[in-house]
Amino acid sequence: MSLAPNRGIGMTSQRTRDRMVARLRECGVSDELVLEAMRDVPRHLFVDEALASRAYEDSALPIGFEQTISQPLTVARMVEVARDGRELGRVLEVGTGCGYGAAVLARIAKEVYSIERIAPLLERARANLRALRIGNLRLAHGDGNRGLSEAAPFDAIIVAAAAPRVPRALQEQLAHGGRLVIPVGTASQELTLIERTASGLRETRLAAVRFVPLRMGKG
Ligand code: SAH
């Protein structure tokens, strides 16, 4: 991966990323594959240049269109829960945003699909991702509430926006043994895990979280 020289130094260097990974570890993230992916993906390339020096702080940052890039710890935890130590084949992300989460997932799963409802944001994600030359990631413009039936079933589905209730299509598009990680709720939200087991769907509430809302329809 080649970075423009002025973007590979200082607050955006590999050392800064190593420190971010050390903090993730302190916060309890232990999946080495997830930590390695987060060490590799240059998060500063996914935010506005004016914010690049803050890219490795553990905070959400604005990406335009009233949306945010998720906090690194949130991304790490969601992927860790979705993976659960398994090898992931096909994975769906709902809410591409700037493309950061998709880039992390693409280092972990064989095949990644990511869907975004705001077309200009999807174009920005495409531009951000181009430099990384990721071959196993497909981006789609559409309403993530409906999932992506043409690519289903998925071993894991990660939703990066909070839904009032779990969209039925996403449950239906889970493979056997598949795991869906989704923030559920409006005023207060809970990160929720839905697993498709031999005896049906099992739901577990994981933690209180705060996400932008999952909207209906295309933007
Ligand atoms: N994955 C991103 C997080 C983006 S924030 C990251 O790595 O930073 C959540 C995104 O979900 C926003 O871009 C928002 O536009 C998108 N979103 C909201 N409702 C959606 C829907 N119904 N379908 C697809 N994307 C949606």
Side-chain angles (χ1 to χ4, degrees):
M1 165 191 330
S2 70
L3 305 177
N6 64 332
R7 305 201 86 186
I9 54 168
M11 290 305 286
T12 55
S13 70
Q14 184 64 55
R15 270 206 0 252
T16 317
R17 235 162 20 243
D18 288 344
R19 279 200 295 274
M20 177 186 81
V21 167
R23 283 198 308 272
L24 296 175
R25 234 184 250 286
E26 282 165 24
C27 290
V29 178
S30 63
D31 186 328
E32 291 299 330
L33 205 55
V34 174
L35 292 165
E36 197 178 304
M38 306 233 0
R39 187 180 296 117
D40 287 349
V41 177
R43 191 169 186 261
H44 64 279
L45 297 187
F46 292 85
V47 297
D48 203 77
E49 231 161 317
L51 292 172
S53 66
R54 298 183 53 202
Y56 300 102
E57 291 174 11
D58 197 36
S59 56
L61 294 169
I63 54 171
F65 308 93
E66 297 176 4
Q67 306 303 324
T68 53
I69 179 172
S70 300
Q71 203 181 332
L73 181 59
T74 306
V75 175
R77 283 204 170 126
M78 287 178 93
V79 178
E80 185 171 60
V81 168
R83 188 168 104 86
D84 194 36
R86 299 172 300 156
E87 266 190 36
L88 292 176
R90 209 173 280 180
V91 170
L92 174 67
E93 178 192 43
V94 173
T96 314
C98 59
Y100 175 70
V104 170
L105 276 172
R107 296 203 159 244
I108 289 169
K110 281 207 184 69
E111 237 179 291
V112 178
Y113 293 81
S114 182
I115 184 165
E116 168 61 53
R117 67 184 284 277
I118 301 176
L121 197 48
L122 190 67
E123 284 320 304
R124 194 173 291 177
R126 233 183 257 290
N128 291 340
L129 289 160
R130 204 164 288 139
L132 303 184
R133 297 207 181 85
I134 302 172
N136 60 336
L137 169 62
R138 299 278 169 275
L139 302 182
H141 178 223
D143 180 2
N145 285 288
R146 305 166 69 165
L148 202 61
S149 54
E150 57 269 40
F154 299 99
D155 296 327
I157 302 178
I158 291 182
V159 183
R165 64 197 67 80
V166 182
R168 182 187 291 250
L170 297 184
Q171 297 185 351
E172 288 171 355
Q173 291 175 22
L174 273 184
H176 290 286
R179 293 161 74 89
L180 162 64
V181 183
I182 177 169
V184 180
T186 45
S188 72
Q189 307 167 3
E190 276 185 303
L191 193 61
T192 304
L193 166 67
I194 313 276
E195 296 164 90
R196 179 179 287 286
T197 70
S199 54
L201 294 171
R202 183 164 65 210
E203 183 175 319
T204 315
R205 306 282 166 91
L206 300 172
V209 284
R210 201 184 165 91
F211 279 80
V212 296
L214 186 74
R215 308 251 183 230
M216 296 301 291
K218 286 191 198 182

